[in-house]
Amino acid sequence: MYKIILKKNMGEGVNLYEIHAPDIASKAKPGQFIILRVHGEGERIPITIANSDQKKGTITALVQTVGKTSHLLSELNEGENIKDVVGPLGVPTDIENFGTVVCVGGGFGIAVLYPIARALKEAGNRVISIIGARRTDLLLMKKEMEDVSSEVLIATDDGSSGIKGLVTDALRNLIEEKKEKIDRVIAVGPVIMMKAVSDMTREKNIKTVVSLNPIMIDGTGMCGACRVLVGGKTKFACVDGPDFDGHLVDFNNLMNRLRFYKKEEAQSYECHNKEHHG
Amino acid sequence: MADNQGIKDMIDTKDTKTAPASGVDNKERLKIKRVGMRNQAPEERIHNFEEVPYGYSPEEASIEAKRCIQCKKPFCIEGCPVNINIPAFIKLVESGDFLGAARKIKETNSLPAICGRVCPQEDQCEKVCTVGKKKDSAPVAIGNLERFVADYEAAHGNINIEVTGSIDKKVAIVGGGPAGLTVAGDLRKMGYDVSIFEALHELGGVLMYGIPEFRLPKEIVLSNLKVLENMGVKVYKNIVVGKTFSIDELMEKKGFDAVFIGTGAGTPKFLNIPGEELSGVYSANEFLTRVNLMRSYQNEKYDTPVKRGKTLVVFGAGNTAMDSVRTGLRLGYEDARIFYRRSRKEMTARIEEVHHAEQEGIKFEFLINPVRFIGDESHTVTGVECQRMELGEPDESGRRRPIPIPGSEFITKIDAAIIAIGTNANPIVPSSTPGMNLNKWGYIIADENTGKTTKKGVFAGGDIVTGAATVILAMGAGRKAAVAIDEYLKTGTW
């Protein structure tokens, strides 16, 4: 059993959970993920680790309530337990001194991006961050990102902070107007955002790494549910990833595979809501 | 259907004729026909996940036990990967001492209820049974008897195993599947301090995620796991060795004196043909894990989803392919088929599984090779294009190589496809364990008789050494490794 030490509502149905899992915390590196199961009859869902604290023996994960499992998780309070948590899984994000790295994060992907940006800075990179949200009040971890970046660019849908537009607009501006020489881009966020970033940097020939989150079951390479097409080859996100070259990922296939169980998930959520909230 | 005659001899009793005499008492024994197990009727069982055979009654077991002629040179013991004293346990069954028979089996096999169900006896003990060598005679039904004895003990006795001593040495078992469970049981029985580290949320490995309920009820696996826990085997679930802890950490920081790696077969193989990435194309491991480990077939209680549809094609012809196609049938795929690129003769599945599948209405189509999957606008599979094959010269496996027939392509409409063509080595433990050598396919190099790897104190066995094989071979490797680990920890010599 894995105790929830801290739970925080981040808005838009996103909750932050700090979970007691000392074995995972002592090993977790930026870019790795956990698989959790809320209860004994539950499904296994992969979640990228946002932060880990070796001293406290905790890991932090952000989860948006979208279906039955995330809803059940959101009903757990501080001091209550998650049935199963396993990790850290996957290959950590490649951290080296690349030169100038642009870290692009959208929505609660920023939480996962933060430790990566911090590690890149510690490795000697000049880190420029581009973070986006629908509105200012939904923008996560601005302060933290500022601490590890030489520059933070913000994009909001309504223009309430930074530019009015998408993170890709800010990225294009950085490349085309500011003529910034970029050695690498890391993009973490919604699939559609990672696709848009990859499409843009492909034109500019800037190496781009994306963090994928397909459907998984075991998370250790056994089942193959998480397979993604990368450069026309089948890769397993759980053991070969979750980071891949964004220019080679077949994002359309990934989006379609993520949607495959939508109907079943909706039915399950509906049933659950009927039973519990009458 | 010439091959079916062989199946009948193995499963039915009706066609077995009286064998010639070889001695007075044995003459009588050889007159007895092999007792088949009563099965759940095919038309019923395709709608549920309950076990297919019902198992022997005590009377049936006693009759079958009489067929054993107690050979002076029992080949069956040699034929068993864990060397059960088969004639001795059958003699106890014949005398009515069923609990004694169970104890006899458990001298060398801690999981008889499982082996009695999933071992390929026809290729092992029963293949070499002297009774089966007689003209028109089927071998003694050793597997059925083993299963009966184990089930009888579970119902009437105490299946717990006594720990005989206490040895102040710690052994880590990586992976709670058949190999690891066997090592754990054997070493704990000797008195070692044994800990199992399991990546999933349940122990059992392939027994839980792979083999379906209708072939191996999970309750039986769980009761056998309970035995190990009652013996004092420590179990740590949700630990991925190679990620959460490395092998080196287990030995250097956590104080383990020896480690056994039994992480099982690895990543599923795919066909590498266009369209394989479509939704609705599954590896057998994914499909079976959803249904078995995650119990998605009970969707009113469990959250993991599984799709249902009308037409399912499974590619492959091993036991995993049979498990997949029969599971699909039970989920409601009314047209569930096997497509195999070789012919019936080359199938690697157990005869009994093929027979059960055919009884259930599974269609087998041979000499067919898929060339591409076809999908709709939502990237969901709707069809598969295949070509017909003919058999050419034997290949390196000794089986005749299938060759495509030009112009024979055809399209089959499907709702789901399952790829059951084997696995590759899982990279997690091998890649995180310096000093442990691998073969060119990424499997761990380990001595066949001891399980010793090239890294001191580290042993390995089961599929991570041999590539995908059977439960009993993994258990056999585990048994040998347990002996070698005991020897190593007593002498300190590597």
Side-chain angles (χ1 to χ4, degrees):
Chain A
M1 300 292 256
Y2 301 79
K3 192 182 270 183
I4 299 174
I5 303 295
L6 178 86
K7 179 182 164 190
K8 214 158 97 185
N9 184 351
M10 310 296 281
E12 295 278 275
V14 176
N15 281 305
L16 176 149
Y17 303 88
E18 189 177 349
I19 305 159
H20 184 69
D23 293 333
I24 303 173
S26 70
K27 276 296 169 61
K29 293 207 173 70
Q32 289 189 294
F33 65 94
I34 52 167
I35 283 192
L36 65 77
R37 211 165 66 113
V38 178
H39 63 114
E41 288 81 37
E43 58 181 341
R44 295 169 65 95
I45 56 165
I47 296 163
T48 313
I49 300 167
N51 209 358
S52 56
D53 186 329
Q54 270 197 48
K55 253 199 221 143
K56 283 165 77 183
T58 61
I59 51 169
T60 304
L62 278 79
V63 184
Q64 185 165 31
T65 303
V66 289
K68 183 179 174 186
T69 299
S70 48
H71 181 80
L72 288 171
L73 182 62
S74 76
E75 284 182 333
L76 294 179
N77 296 310
E78 286 176 8
E80 293 187 301
N81 291 306
I82 299 170
K83 180 88 170 62
D84 298 294
V85 180
V86 60
L89 300 170
V91 181
T93 299
D94 192 10
I95 304 289
E96 273 177 52
N97 189 351
F98 301 107
T100 299
V101 181
V102 176
C103 294
V104 185
F108 63 106
I110 302 167
V112 173
L113 184 65
Y114 166 67
I116 297 172
R118 187 179 55 193
L120 285 165
K121 183 187 158 76
E122 283 164 8
N125 292 282
R126 177 162 170 260
V127 176
I128 300 172
S129 296
I130 303 175
I131 54 176
R134 293 206 300 115
R135 301 187 309 262
T136 305
D137 59 307
L138 299 172
L139 190 66
L140 298 183
M141 310 191 75
K142 177 168 170 267
K143 166 89 183 56
E144 289 88 342
M145 291 305 285
E146 281 169 353
D147 289 345
V148 297
S149 316
S150 56
E151 193 180 348
V152 176
L153 304 170
I154 295 169
T156 50
D157 291 4
D158 64 355
S160 52
S161 279
I163 64 157
K164 182 172 190 243
L166 303 171
V167 287
T168 38
D169 298 325
L171 180 61
R172 184 177 293 281
N173 188 40
L174 192 66
I175 300 167
E176 291 179 359
E177 304 299 320
K178 296 190 185 166
K179 309 277 184 216
E180 189 69 55
K181 188 196 157 287
I182 302 167
D183 297 294
R184 179 173 282 232
V185 172
I186 314 262
V188 185
V191 179
I192 192 80
M193 182 209 89
M194 295 191 286
K195 178 180 189 299
V197 169
S198 301
D199 286 345
M200 173 180 299
T201 56
R202 188 185 292 110
E203 286 170 28
K204 313 286 179 195
N205 207 14
I206 303 168
K207 165 94 176 173
T208 297
V209 174
V210 293
S211 172
L212 306 185
N213 196 11
I215 292 170
M216 285 189 191
I217 306 176
D218 71 299
T220 63
M222 182 270 282
C223 84
C226 68
R227 64 192 198 277
V228 286
L229 264 188
V230 181
K233 291 207 168 78
T234 295
K235 296 279 177 190
F236 298 133
C238 66
V239 289
D240 301 322
D243 287 1
F244 291 101
D245 183 337
H247 296 165
L248 299 177
V249 170
D250 183 335
F251 287 102
N252 285 336
N253 181 245
L254 174 65
M255 285 187 271
N256 280 300
R257 285 185 71 87
L258 280 166
R259 274 199 286 269
F260 188 51
Y261 292 99
K262 275 283 178 277
K263 199 175 93 195
E264 287 76 7
E265 283 161 4
Q267 277 169 354
S268 165
Y269 196 18
E270 205 176 299
C271 268
H272 170 76
N273 285 339
K274 266 192 199 144
E275 275 170 36
H276 295 269
H277 305 283
Chain B
M1 302 288 275
D3 288 1
N4 266 359
Q5 192 53 49
I7 298 167
K8 276 196 170 157
D9 285 347
M10 300 296 290
I11 295 165
D12 285 341
T13 58
K14 298 184 188 87
D15 298 340
T16 313
K17 289 170 195 150
T18 308
S22 65
V24 182
D25 185 35
N26 284 353
K27 188 175 170 184
E28 291 307 310
R29 290 178 182 277
L30 288 166
K31 274 187 192 164
I32 306 166
K33 290 175 184 173
R34 177 172 163 126
V35 182
M37 279 194 291
R38 287 159 294 118
N39 289 328
Q40 201 193 151
E43 56 276 16
E44 274 172 37
R45 69 188 192 230
I46 61 170
H47 300 298
N48 65 53
F49 277 80
E50 281 151 43
E51 206 175 0
V52 173
Y54 291 119
Y56 283 157
S57 66
E59 295 72 32
E60 288 168 325
S62 302
I63 295 169
E64 182 60 29
K66 283 198 178 70
R67 298 184 63 238
C68 174
I69 55 171
Q70 297 290 323
C71 300
K72 287 214 174 68
K73 267 196 191 163
F75 297 112
C76 51
I77 300 179
E78 289 296 304
C80 171
V82 296
N83 307 118
I84 294 173
N85 190 339
I86 292 164
F89 102 76
I90 294 182
K91 200 171 186 180
L92 287 163
V93 174
E94 192 186 341
S95 72
D97 183 2
F98 304 139
L99 293 176
R103 280 193 297 276
K104 179 56 71 184
I105 294 175
K106 280 156 76 175
E107 286 174 8
T108 65
N109 178 0
S110 46
L111 304 169
I114 294 167
C115 293
R117 287 173 166 81
V118 304
C119 271
Q121 291 100 5
E122 64 277 15
D123 287 326
Q124 298 174 167
C125 52
E126 294 184 18
K127 187 181 185 178
V128 292
C129 171
T130 309
V131 174
K133 302 266 187 240
K134 309 280 178 196
K135 191 168 175 288
D136 296 328
S137 176
V140 175
I142 300 167
N144 295 358
L145 286 169
E146 182 182 29
R147 173 191 159 133
F148 164 75
V149 165
D151 289 354
Y152 185 89
E153 190 191 37
H156 299 94
N158 174 7
I159 63 171
N160 283 326
I161 297 172
E162 222 176 293
V163 174
T164 50
S166 176
I167 303 169
D168 190 20
K169 296 264 183 194
K170 285 172 70 180
V171 182
I173 311 288
V174 181
L181 295 175
T182 303
V183 181
D186 284 6
L187 289 177
R188 182 65 199 132
K189 198 156 94 180
M190 296 174 205
Y192 286 97
D193 180 347
V194 177
S195 300
I196 302 178
F197 296 92
E198 166 59 45
L200 292 170
H201 57 265
E202 281 191 69
L203 277 189
V206 72
L207 306 173
M208 289 305 281
Y209 76 73
I211 302 176
E213 180 75 19
F214 56 83
R215 239 172 23 94
L216 178 62
K218 299 307 153 223
E219 203 180 304
I220 288 172
V221 181
L222 292 172
S223 68
N224 278 280
L225 296 174
K226 192 88 194 112
V227 171
L228 286 180
E229 294 198 41
N230 289 344
M231 288 168 80
V233 171
K234 296 168 192 159
V235 176
Y236 301 92
K237 297 172 191 172
N238 296 322
I239 302 286
V240 181
V241 171
K243 293 287 181 190
T244 322
F245 309 125
S246 67
I247 300 282
D248 283 342
E249 279 173 301
L250 289 175
M251 299 185 78
E252 287 159 19
K253 290 194 187 150
K254 306 236 168 233
F256 286 98
D257 300 287
V259 175
F260 175 81
I261 303 171
T263 48
T267 53
K269 274 187 197 166
F270 284 92
L271 295 157
N272 295 319
I273 59 172
E276 201 159 40
E277 72 283 1
L278 294 167
S279 297
V281 180
Y282 307 87
S283 74
N285 277 4
E286 177 188 348
F287 187 74
L288 292 172
T289 301
R290 279 184 185 278
V291 178
N292 299 328
L293 178 72
M294 306 311 293
R295 296 170 175 80
S296 59
Y297 67 96
Q298 296 172 303
N299 59 352
E300 65 292 343
K301 189 169 174 212
Y302 291 88
D303 295 344
T304 303
V306 68
K307 288 274 181 188
R308 294 158 199 256
K310 189 172 164 290
T311 306
L312 166 73
V313 170
V314 177
F315 297 94
N319 289 321
T320 309
M322 297 307 131
D323 286 346
S324 301
V325 76
R326 296 174 67 201
T327 295
L329 189 70
R330 283 159 173 76
L331 280 179
Y333 287 93
E334 53 203 70
D335 179 8
R337 307 186 209 174
I338 290 278
F339 277 12
Y340 183 42
R341 67 194 186 107
R342 299 179 192 257
S343 73
R344 177 178 285 272
K345 261 211 313 248
E346 286 85 23
M347 292 173 77
T348 54
R350 289 188 64 195
I351 301 162
E352 187 186 0
E353 303 312 324
V354 177
H355 181 67
H356 281 158
E358 288 189 318
Q359 280 184 335
E360 291 167 9
I362 303 289
K363 286 173 224 133
F364 287 72
E365 299 189 36
F366 298 102
L367 295 164
I368 288 178
N369 196 41
V371 289
R372 71 179 172 111
F373 290 103
I374 300 156
D376 61 15
E377 67 286 348
S378 72
H379 281 227
T380 301
V381 73
T382 56
V384 59
E385 181 176 333
C386 298
Q387 59 190 172
R388 301 211 179 264
M389 314 289 276
E390 57 191 352
L391 290 179
E393 295 299 309
D395 61 14
E396 60 277 11
S397 73
R399 298 182 295 181
R400 289 178 64 191
R401 186 190 301 275
I403 302 164
I405 301 171
S408 66
E409 290 77 12
F410 64 98
I411 290 174
T412 307
K413 277 180 71 175
I414 57 172
D415 300 307
I418 296 173
I419 319 289
I421 57 167
T423 53
N424 294 312
N426 188 305
I428 293 180
V429 171
S431 67
S432 61
T433 312
M436 185 175 71
N437 293 348
L438 311 176
N439 67 18
K440 63 176 171 175
W441 299 281
Y443 293 106
I444 298 171
I445 296 173
D447 184 274
E448 206 182 314
N449 295 313
T450 62
K452 277 183 187 173
T453 68
T454 53
K455 190 177 176 76
K456 191 179 176 192
V458 180
F459 299 75
D463 284 4
I464 190 61
V465 171
T466 57
T470 59
V471 167
I472 188 66
L473 287 175
M475 289 177 58
R479 215 178 121 61
K480 286 179 189 166
V483 172
I485 292 169
D486 176 46
E487 169 94 15
Y488 166 66
L489 292 179
K490 277 189 178 137
T491 63
T493 48
W494 185 250

